[in-house]
Structures are given as C-alpha cells and as structure tokens.
Amino acid sequence: MIYPKIPLAQSILEIFLAKGITTIIISPGSRNAPLTIGFASNPAFQCYSIADERSAGFFALGIAQQTKKPVALVCTSGSALLNYYPAFAEAFYSQIPLVVLSADRPQSKIDIGDGQTIRQENVFANHSLYNANLNELASRENDVKINEALDTAFAKKGPVHINAPFEEPLYETVESISVQSYISQPKVKSSTVGELSSFADIWNQASRKMVLVGVNEPDAIDEENINFLANDSSIVVLTETTSNVHHPSFIANIDTIITPFTTEDFENFQPEILVTFGGMIVSKRIKAFLRKYQPKHHWHIDTLRAYDTFGVLSHHFEVNPQVFFNQFIPLTKAIASDYTQRLDHVKQIRKAKHDNYLSTIPFSDFKVFEQLIPQLPKNSQLQISNSSAIRYAQLIPIDASIEVYCNRGTSGIDGATSTAIGAAVANQKQTTFITGDVGFLYDTNALWNNYIPKNFKIILINNGGGGIFRILPGHQETPVFNTFFETSHCLTAEHLAKMYGFDYTTASDENSVDKALTRLFAINDQPALLEIFTPTRENDTILLNYFKNLV
C-alpha cells in the first residue's frame, strides 16, 4: 500500500476510514497531493475526479442526498475552496452531510504575498456545523478536531469543514503508516417524543387541523400513519411534489386549490392546529396564507431543526415523523368536522377547471409539463431544477412510485444538474432531470463528468431565457428586463450534448414531444438529452390565466 509521507495526511486518512467516510470527490491540485495520493491509492475509498469544484460540491451533495452518509470533498488551496460554498450552503439548509477537506499552506505563508493563498480558516463559518482548523503536525489535538468534525456531519446531518495545512515536499510516499491516530466513539443522542397527553388534549378539541409536508425523503411515514391522516374528517393534508408523501385524499396541488380563494374562503380554511414536517416549502401562496391566517398552534416535527416559517411556532418535537405519529395517534379521538369534506368539494371543482383549461392552451411550458410528467417511468427518480421547473411540476399530478428531489435548501439554480448526476450515480433507479435553459447553461460543467450513468436523462425546456421573471410582479417588455432579468439568448444544447457523449433529440410541438419522450426512455446505452423548445413570450400569460380560470 502507498501512503503519503506527511503524518497529518496519514492521520486524516486513518480517521476517515475508521468513521466509514469512504466516498471521496477530488478536484485536481498540488497542495492537496498528500490527500489525493492517500485516498486514491487505498481501495477502501471510492474516489471520483471532478475538476470544477463548484460542480464537484453539488455532485457530492447528490450522492449524500441518496446515501444519507457524509461525502468528502478534497481540494487544493486558494479560490478552489470558495467554489464549494453554494453546495455547502445547500447542504446546511437541506440537512445533507458533507465534509469539505481543504489543503492549505502553513499559516506563516498566509497574507505575505505567497501564491495561491487566501484566508481559508473558518471560511464557511456562517453555514458550517463544525470548523476544524488543523496545524501542520500530526497530534492528538488535530485528531480530536477531525473526529469531532466527522461525528458532527453524521449526527447533525450537515456540512463541516476541515482545513489541513501542508508544507512541501507534497508528493513523497511511504509504504507504511507512521502515526497511530486517535479514534473517538461518537456520542449517541437519544431522542424521545416527550409528554404528549397535553398536546393530544388540544388536538382532540380542534375541528380544523392541517398537516403541511415539505421536502421529504421517501417513506418518511408508513402507510398506517398516512391512512390515519387521510381518514380523519378534521384533518386536511397538503403535500408538495418534493414531499414524497401520497394519498388520493391529500391536496397535492396547493396553489391550484387556494389561489382563487376569497377572504371568506381563507377564513374557513384557517386551521386551529398546523403540523409540519419535512424541509422547505415551495409554495409562496401557502406561506402567505399561513402568515396572514395564523393557526393557534404550530407544531413542527424534525430531529434537528424547526424553522418558524409562519411566525407562530409553538412546539418542536425533536423526533422523526414516524416515531411521533406512532406514539401520538393512539392518544387521539375523532371529532365531528366537515373540514375535509368542504375541501374535497373545492378539489373537484378545481380539477374540472384544471383539465378544461389545459385542454385549450397552445403549446407552451405548461403544456410540456402536462405531457411529460405522466410519461415518467414508474419506480424511477425525478430530479428537478429550481425556478419555473419546480413550480410547474407542483401543478401536475405525479405517480406515487416516483421519488422527487430538488435543491430547495437555498432554492438556487447553480448546481441542479451536478446534483442530479451525483444522485444518479448513487442510486440504482432510472433518474430523469428536468431543467430550464438558464439553470442548465449555468451548470454546464456538470457534464464534464466521467461517471454519468448510461440511463441518465435530461429534459431541457428551452424558452430562450429566465421565464420565471415574466411570471413575477414587475415584468415589463423593455431592453433592461430582457437583458438583465430574463437574460434572453439563442443558445441550444446541441453541441454540448455531442461534446459530452449524450444522445441528443429536439421537440417543438405536442406531437414531437410525445415521440421524443418515447424515444428518450427507450435509450439505455448512453446518457440522453431531450431539448424542448417553447415560446418565450406566451408562457407567462398562459400560467397567469390558469389561476384566473380556476375561479
């Protein structure tokens, strides 16, 4: 076995291996050579080489999203480290474990005019769960910091930063380890629901109870608990596409239901109790509603965090939803209520209006989503980019067997493609990625990746710019808007697809979309990209008129 000669690098390798952090994403550089040599020379580690650190960060995020285990990122010194920040912030808000391991020059070389140096210590301080600033020599002090960083990534489900200074020579190797690293036993925090009878008393007297489910891993709660929520007439359950929670009685198209509400409708819909679990909520309309028509009680269920999204959080149950409902449901009693029944009537009206409107609209972004969502393969995985893509997807029913993911922690477009590819590498399912043109162009280095599975699919909806800005208030057809907000362009993905070995197909009307989708999902010998061209100027009007026609 080949090991780096530098003792500090040996310690890092030994502790990572002992903690079971074996997926390593390496970006090229010289200062990180001791780490690169050590990880890549040991078959116990699964190493990937991703040149662009920003893309590498999101690629690692996608793997960790699927495996639920920390993934390590290794980079050289200088600005390379800063390129991890978008993925680092996303990991923080989405509770995904990442370990950034940055090589650095010794502190004596910082701020004296030496090349490729920046102030790397604590550079992620605002979003890092732990910062391990190491010194050059292998020591118990360094080992303790490394252990604590890795244990924190596991326990708190988020990003940590280890900064390791190395002095030249960097490439020397040895055949045996010269250090005996300290390995700590992680502290196991026991989580209990706590006393529930007083909360059950409140629950049992409320005739209007709302459960709102944000971003969630599949199977967050089992079928028995889902059926309980579905069959209680005093409970309305609102789910989003990214919730991965399904039942025919649940409201899975929140904006379609509540956008046409009158003041009287909102008052009747106002819950006495709001129970939330899962991560970020996409729908701006439900957030605005609950901030204005606040419930008397808001309970959030999460093992780690509780954001006071609606300004009325009253209790945080620090357990997972399955544990909570298993212990809480036996304490509940049915109460007479027409809360669900009234919403069921609204759902039927909205569905008829929805179907009628979509049958009349011309080819557009909305029509494309109506076509493609039902044609996604069952038991597959869908990754969606932010901005327009996730919002359109919220309006179309999706098969319950399809897992849905989107980077909603920071809601950025910057690394969606890289995340989707990382997720596709880590899971065994057919993975489809739906994206808009601006998000795709922003992250084209995601395709500079030697590990893309042959069955990976990209559906690129190209409307010639940032269509989301046409939907938002303030849109005016001016040169300033077109250039600086929408960023109009005439670019396509054709040559990128060819350069990176993707099968490439285009479509530009309903008939060609149907044919192209059939072909797309039949290709399994190389990754494939379907680019669908839609009108630039009609999409916003079609979407805004949709909500008007729901009344």
Side-chain angles (χ1 to χ4, degrees):
M1 185 81 71
I2 296 174
Y3 299 96
K5 186 177 181 180
I6 296 175
L8 175 59
Q10 295 179 10
S11 292
I12 291 170
L13 295 165
E14 289 296 284
I15 297 171
F16 271 59
L17 188 58
K19 296 289 184 180
I21 298 179
T22 56
T23 302
I24 316 294
I25 316 302
I26 302 171
S27 292
S30 181
R31 190 61 48 171
N32 57 333
L35 299 170
T36 300
I37 292 168
F39 285 124
S41 300
N42 190 328
F45 294 103
Q46 175 66 57
C47 295
Y48 300 87
S49 175
I50 305 292
D52 181 335
E53 284 87 3
R54 189 180 73 183
S55 180
F58 282 103
F59 179 76
L61 185 91
I63 295 176
Q65 175 198 86
Q66 298 296 306
T67 63
K68 314 299 186 293
K69 296 179 180 179
V71 174
L73 288 152
V74 179
C75 72
T76 190
S77 63
S79 61
L81 174 61
L82 304 181
N83 287 296
Y84 288 147
Y85 213 141
F88 200 94
E90 178 65 34
F92 177 82
Y93 287 107
S94 290
Q95 297 182 217
I96 295 175
L98 286 183
V99 179
V100 166
L101 178 54
S102 58
D104 198 358
R105 280 162 165 70
Q107 280 299 301
S108 62
K109 300 288 182 69
I110 309 301
D111 288 340
I112 66 166
D114 205 33
Q116 203 171 327
T117 60
I118 64 170
R119 299 172 187 176
Q120 293 185 196
E121 292 189 350
N122 305 314
V123 74
F124 302 124
N126 283 339
H127 298 95
S128 181
L129 299 178
Y130 190 92
N131 298 295
N133 297 310
L134 309 182
N135 52 51
E136 293 174 61
L137 302 177
S139 64
R140 172 73 174 242
E141 178 187 359
N142 276 340
D143 288 355
V144 168
K145 290 179 181 179
I146 299 166
N147 277 276
E148 289 183 355
L150 303 187
D151 290 345
T152 299
F154 274 108
K156 295 187 177 181
K157 299 179 183 176
V160 299
H161 178 208
I162 301 172
N163 192 60
F166 298 118
E167 184 57 282
E168 298 177 3
L170 301 169
Y171 293 86
E172 293 184 335
T173 60
V174 293
E175 294 183 357
S176 61
I177 291 282
S178 61
V179 298
Q180 185 172 358
S181 302
Y182 165 71
I183 310 294
S184 68
Q185 294 299 315
K187 299 173 184 177
V188 180
K189 179 185 176 183
S190 60
S191 58
T192 58
V193 179
E195 188 275 328
L196 290 176
S197 58
S198 62
F199 296 97
D201 290 341
I202 296 170
W203 177 276
N204 292 334
Q205 295 176 41
S207 60
R208 298 196 307 274
K209 300 181 276 275
M210 179 183 293
V211 177
L212 175 61
V213 191
V215 174
N216 240 315
E217 300 170 4
D219 304 317
I221 57 174
D222 63 19
E223 187 174 353
E224 184 177 349
N225 288 324
I226 287 175
N227 288 334
F228 167 80
L229 297 174
N231 295 322
D232 189 318
S233 62
S234 68
I235 303 174
V236 168
V237 180
L238 309 180
T239 63
E240 298 206 301
T241 302
T242 51
S243 72
N244 292 299
V245 174
H246 301 274
H247 191 278
S249 72
F250 293 170
I251 294 174
N253 51 346
I254 298 171
D255 288 355
T256 299
I257 297 296
I258 72 172
T259 299
F261 272 3
T262 64
T263 299
E264 182 181 1
D265 292 330
F266 279 124
E267 290 172 349
N268 291 332
F269 190 45
Q270 181 179 11
E272 299 166 75
I273 299 172
L274 172 67
V275 176
T276 55
F277 64 93
M280 302 294 191
I281 301 296
V282 176
S283 171
K284 295 177 69 174
R285 289 175 171 87
I286 194 63
K287 285 185 280 192
F289 161 65
L290 290 170
R291 285 166 182 162
K292 183 174 181 179
Y293 298 90
Q294 294 181 326
K296 295 178 181 177
H297 308 275
H298 173 202
W299 305 338
H300 186 71
I301 309 164
D302 187 276
T303 56
L304 295 170
R305 296 186 217 169
Y307 293 120
D308 191 7
T309 305
F310 314 108
V312 70
L313 182 67
S314 52
H315 195 80
H316 174 202
F317 293 97
E318 297 182 53
V319 293
N320 69 56
Q322 180 68 26
V323 170
F324 172 81
F325 286 116
N326 283 348
Q327 296 187 34
F328 185 71
I329 288 174
L331 304 176
T332 64
K333 298 176 183 177
I335 187 172
S337 174
D338 63 350
Y339 194 41
T340 301
Q341 183 180 356
R342 284 187 281 122
L343 262 295
D344 283 342
H345 178 64
V346 174
K347 280 176 62 179
Q348 297 307 314
I349 294 174
R350 297 285 192 270
K351 185 179 186 306
K353 296 278 188 179
H354 170 95
D355 292 344
N356 180 67
Y357 183 77
L358 286 179
S359 69
T360 65
I361 63 174
F363 185 71
S364 57
D365 287 352
F366 205 168
K367 178 61 73 172
V368 168
F369 275 87
E370 182 199 20
Q371 286 184 270
L372 72 86
I373 295 291
Q375 294 194 52
L376 294 171
K378 292 186 178 181
N379 300 304
S380 66
Q381 182 172 116
L382 173 63
Q383 295 272 339
I384 311 180
S385 181
N386 276 301
S387 292
S388 298
I390 185 61
R391 286 172 171 80
Y392 278 115
Q394 296 266 95
L395 303 175
I396 307 296
I398 190 166
D399 190 88
S401 71
I402 299 172
E403 300 175 353
V404 183
Y405 293 88
C406 179
N407 286 346
R408 292 305 298 176
T410 62
S411 304
I413 64 170
D414 36 8
T417 312
S418 297
T419 303
I421 294 172
V425 167
N427 72 56
Q428 301 299 314
K429 294 191 173 187
Q430 164 69 68
T431 300
T432 304
F433 174 55
I434 300 176
T435 182
D437 49 289
V438 174
F440 175 79
L441 292 169
Y442 201 89
D443 192 25
T444 54
N445 270 357
L447 307 184
W448 185 14
N449 184 312
N450 293 324
Y451 313 100
I452 302 175
K454 291 183 178 180
N455 65 346
F456 180 67
K457 318 291 183 191
I458 296 176
I459 299 175
L460 166 58
I461 301 169
N462 189 343
N463 58 24
I468 185 69
F469 293 103
R470 291 181 167 270
I471 299 166
L472 300 176
H475 162 235
Q476 292 181 344
E477 207 65 48
T478 66
V480 169
F481 173 83
N482 294 337
T483 301
F484 295 103
F485 288 91
E486 187 181 41
T487 56
S488 301
H489 67 86
C490 298
L491 301 173
T492 79
E494 180 180 4
H495 297 294
L496 280 168
K498 182 178 181 180
M499 181 167 70
Y500 290 115
F502 275 69
D503 179 89
Y504 177 75
T505 311
T506 64
S508 55
D509 55 41
E510 291 182 53
N511 185 50
S512 61
V513 167
D514 277 332
K515 291 180 179 178
L517 287 171
T518 300
R519 180 180 183 278
L520 180 75
F521 293 115
I523 298 170
N524 287 305
D525 58 351
Q526 69 180 120
L529 190 156
L530 166 61
E531 186 164 19
I532 303 173
F533 296 97
T534 61
T536 300
R537 299 185 186 279
E538 288 85 354
N539 292 307
D540 57 323
T541 301
I542 291 169
L543 182 61
L544 294 172
N545 284 340
Y546 167 73
F547 292 111
K548 293 177 182 177
N549 278 271
L550 291 172
V551 178

